[in-house]
């Protein structure tokens, strides 16, 4: 069982010993630290903070602890209840709140939960801010407000309909065109909040919806990470229903993957590529993805005469690079689409609406659309960390070994070869080293990954 404290938030398994897992005491401790930090940041005692959660089994329990703790810290709470990560981010902005907490462990299995911490812009805290929260969590000198100073629950209101409304109002979302196509869409929402919002959005777009794992019980029907090996059920349903496409989201609906009409994945990396292709046809500008994302985005961006930049892994880093470069579209290769016209956060709803508009315009099949993009194949592997593994030493040695290649070390070590690349980094959310490769064939990508895994083991002795 594990408790991981990082700038990405506080993530852990439910139950067990305090300080080693995400127990009620740990939830209260880190929520208090966040409230203290936000008071410091804004220079006042009274705050308004948004709380939202995905449908995990532990979600309501953690929600109650967080809400009560924030009230005890003197903060007023807007509780949006069962809500997506992007929806909670947008609720912070829409309500003019001082920040917010999203209760979700994203793609992690059901025993996990987490606190994702937002600033007043509905964006994740940066590195310095995250470290300050962690420092405050170890300071036990805090004195809580008296009974006359405790906070109030300002509202308990569903934000999902407003999120959908704002997506459909975007100028590049052509609702009537999509409606005219009457797409048949299978949705796999892994029994979380996506089962509430994605079918609702698709029906507003005139789609025929086949729901699969859309009951938000939190009992995930399969491993919740939207990877091919976890999506055999929707593949079968796609073929049986003769659907035009499939939509797959993770538990908190910030990652988006599509299925083609033959039941094969469109490719999670290609979600952002296709959406960017559409945006750049109408709005010229820069694009951004992280170091672990496909070269295909760079290729498509340059084909439109625009510039591409890579950021360190992590939404906060991608968002900052997007702001620095004035990017019109960006995100992460795990199916995370960030469209600043709506907000600076990975958002599967805006990804679905923009993609369907483009798909309707193209008037082709999903397999035909996929073939129009550069063919790259990723291999995503990991090495479980043990106390004997010195990650810094591994990365240092790899950088030295490949000093004659194009090396980027802003986040782990990425080595760009002429025909492929490898990215090695320590995960922010799991006790693992990630080994990501990309090449022009699956066999080549897998072989490259195995080569580097062997080298890492050699370094570790």
């Amino acid at each position: 069982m594990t408790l991981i404290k990082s700038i990405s938030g506080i993530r852990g398994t439910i139950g067990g010993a305090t300080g080693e897992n995400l127990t009620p005491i740990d939830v209260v401790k880190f929520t208090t630290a966040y409230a203290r930090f936000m008071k410091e940041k804004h220079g006042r005692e009274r705050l308004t903070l948004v709380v939202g959660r995905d449908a995990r089994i532990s979600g309501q329990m953690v929600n109650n602890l967080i809400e009560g703790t924030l009230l005890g810290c003197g903060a007023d709470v807007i509780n949006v209840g069962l809500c997506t990560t992007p929806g909670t981010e947008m609720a912070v902005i829409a309500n003019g709140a001082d920040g917010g907490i999203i209760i979700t462990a994203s793609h992690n299995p059901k025993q996990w939960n987490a606190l994702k911490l937002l600033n007043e812009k509905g964006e994740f805290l940066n590195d310095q801010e995250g470290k300050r929260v962690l420092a405050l969590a170890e300071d036990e000198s805090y004195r809580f407000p008296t009974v006359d100073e405790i906070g109030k629950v300002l509202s308990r209101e569903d934000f999902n309909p407003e999120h959908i409304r704002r997506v459909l109002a975007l100028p590049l979302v052509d609702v009537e065109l999509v409606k005219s196509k009457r797409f048949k869409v299978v949705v796999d929402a892994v029994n979380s909040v996506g089962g509430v919002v994605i079918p609702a959005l698709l029906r507003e777009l005139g789609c025929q919806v086949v729901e699969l794992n859309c009951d938000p019980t939190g009992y995930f029907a399969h491993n919740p990470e939207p990877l091919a090996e976890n999506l055999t059920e929707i593949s079968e349903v796609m073929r049986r229903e003769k659907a035009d496409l499939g939509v797959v989201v993770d538990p908190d609906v910030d990652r988006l993957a599509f299925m083609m009409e033959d039941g094969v994945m469109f490719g999670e990396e290609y979600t952002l590529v296709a959406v960017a292709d559409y945006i750049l046809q109408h709005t010229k500008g820069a694009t951004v993805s992280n170091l672990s994302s496909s070269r295909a985005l760079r290729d498509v961006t340059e084909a439109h005469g625009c510039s591409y930049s890579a950021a360190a892994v992590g939404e906060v880093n991608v968002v900052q690079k997007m702001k620095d470069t004035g990017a019109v579209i960006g995100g992460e290769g795990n199916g995370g689409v960030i469209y600043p016209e709506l907000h600076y956060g990975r958002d599967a709803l805006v990804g679905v609406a923009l993609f369907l508009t483009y798909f309707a315009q193209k008037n082709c099949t999903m397999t035909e659309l996929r073939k129009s993009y550069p063919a790259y194949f990723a291999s995503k592997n990991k090495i479980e960390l043990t106390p004997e593994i010195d990650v810094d030493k591994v990365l240092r040695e790899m950088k030295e070994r490949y000093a004659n290649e194009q090396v980027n070390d802003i986040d782990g070590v990425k080595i760009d070869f002429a025909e492929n690349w490898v990215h090695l980094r320590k995960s922010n959310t799991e006790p693992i080293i990630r080994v990501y490769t990309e090449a022009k064939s699956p066999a080549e990508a897998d072989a490259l990954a195995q080569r580097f895994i062997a080298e890492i083991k050699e370094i570790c002795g």
Side-chain angles (χ1 to χ4, degrees), residues 22-34:
L22 190 62
T23 69
I25 291 172
D26 294 293
V27 172
V28 171
K29 173 181 174 180
F30 289 107
T31 301
T32 301
Y34 171 70

Side-chain angles (χ1 to χ4, degrees), residues 249-260:
V249 292
D250 65 338
D252 66 328
V253 201
D254 60 358
R255 289 175 64 172
L256 169 64
F258 292 108
M259 306 295 291
M260 299 187 288

Side-chain angles (χ1 to χ4, degrees), residues 269-277 280 286-290 293-304 306-310 318 329-333 336 373-374 376 438:
E269 291 280 350
Y270 286 81
T271 299
L272 176 58
V273 173
V275 171
D277 190 19
L280 293 173
T287 68
V288 173
S289 63
N290 68 38
S293 299
S294 176
R295 275 187 187 174
L297 179 61
R298 182 198 67 184
D299 293 352
V300 166
T301 301
E302 291 175 352
H304 283 284
C306 300
S307 61
Y308 163 81
S309 299
V318 174
I329 186 71
E332 298 189 286
Y373 294 118
Y376 292 111
E438 186 177 66

Side-chain angles (χ1 to χ4, degrees), residues 329-456:
I329 186 71
E332 298 189 286
N334 60 8
V337 175
I338 302 174
Y339 186 46
E341 186 77 13
L342 184 66
H343 70 119
Y344 276 106
R346 292 180 299 166
D347 190 329
L349 279 78
V350 78
V352 166
L354 291 169
F355 184 93
L356 284 180
T357 299
Y358 188 41
F359 187 46
Q361 288 181 2
K362 294 291 284 185
N363 199 31
C364 64
T365 65
M366 288 287 284
T367 51
E368 288 168 344
L369 180 59
R370 178 65 178 79
K371 286 176 183 176
S372 70
Y373 294 118
Y376 292 111
F377 298 88
S379 182
K380 298 185 178 183
N381 299 270
K382 58 189 177 185
I383 299 173
E384 299 288 338
L385 285 180
T386 63
E388 297 77 38
I389 296 178
D390 183 341
V391 179
D392 292 334
K393 176 188 174 186
V394 168
L395 297 178
R396 233 181 3 256
E397 178 133 348
M398 283 298 183
K399 184 180 174 184
E400 290 169 5
R401 284 189 182 190
Y402 292 94
N404 292 330
E405 303 292 343
Q406 186 179 336
V407 176
N408 186 320
D409 63 354
I410 63 170
D411 182 9
V413 173
K414 182 175 183 179
I415 305 161
D416 265 297
F417 302 103
E419 297 295 320
N420 49 46
W421 57 259
V422 60
H423 187 199
L424 313 170
R425 60 181 293 272
K426 184 178 179 180
S427 172
N428 290 328
T429 57
E430 299 175 72
I432 59 175
I433 296 177
R434 297 193 186 278
V435 182
Y436 285 1
T437 59
E438 186 177 66
K440 292 189 175 180
S441 76
E444 186 184 345
D446 287 338
L448 185 63
Q450 292 309 312
R451 171 184 142 193
F452 273 86
I453 289 171
E455 289 194 31
I456 289 171

Side-chain angles (χ1 to χ4, degrees), residues 119 121-124 288 316-328 338 340 343-345:
N119 64 19
K121 298 176 183 177
E123 299 166 15
F124 294 119
V288 173
V316 64
N317 299 315
V318 174
V319 165
Q320 188 57 56
K321 180 67 76 171
M322 289 179 70
K323 291 179 178 179
D324 292 344
T325 61
V328 296
I338 302 174
H343 70 119
Y344 276 106

Side-chain angles (χ1 to χ4, degrees), residues 109-156:
K110 68 178 182 179
Q111 66 268 30
W112 290 78
N113 215 330
L115 284 63
K116 293 186 176 181
L117 310 177
L118 302 175
N119 64 19
E120 69 280 1
K121 298 176 183 177
E123 299 166 15
F124 294 119
L125 303 187
N126 62 32
D127 180 74
Q128 183 180 357
E129 292 170 332
K131 287 176 179 173
R132 178 58 180 158
V133 172
L134 296 180
L136 288 170
E138 302 307 316
D139 175 10
E140 297 180 359
S141 65
Y142 181 60
R143 296 178 66 85
F144 288 86
T146 63
V147 67
D148 294 321
E149 298 167 320
I150 62 174
K152 297 180 176 61
V153 176
L154 301 181
S155 67
R156 301 186 193 281

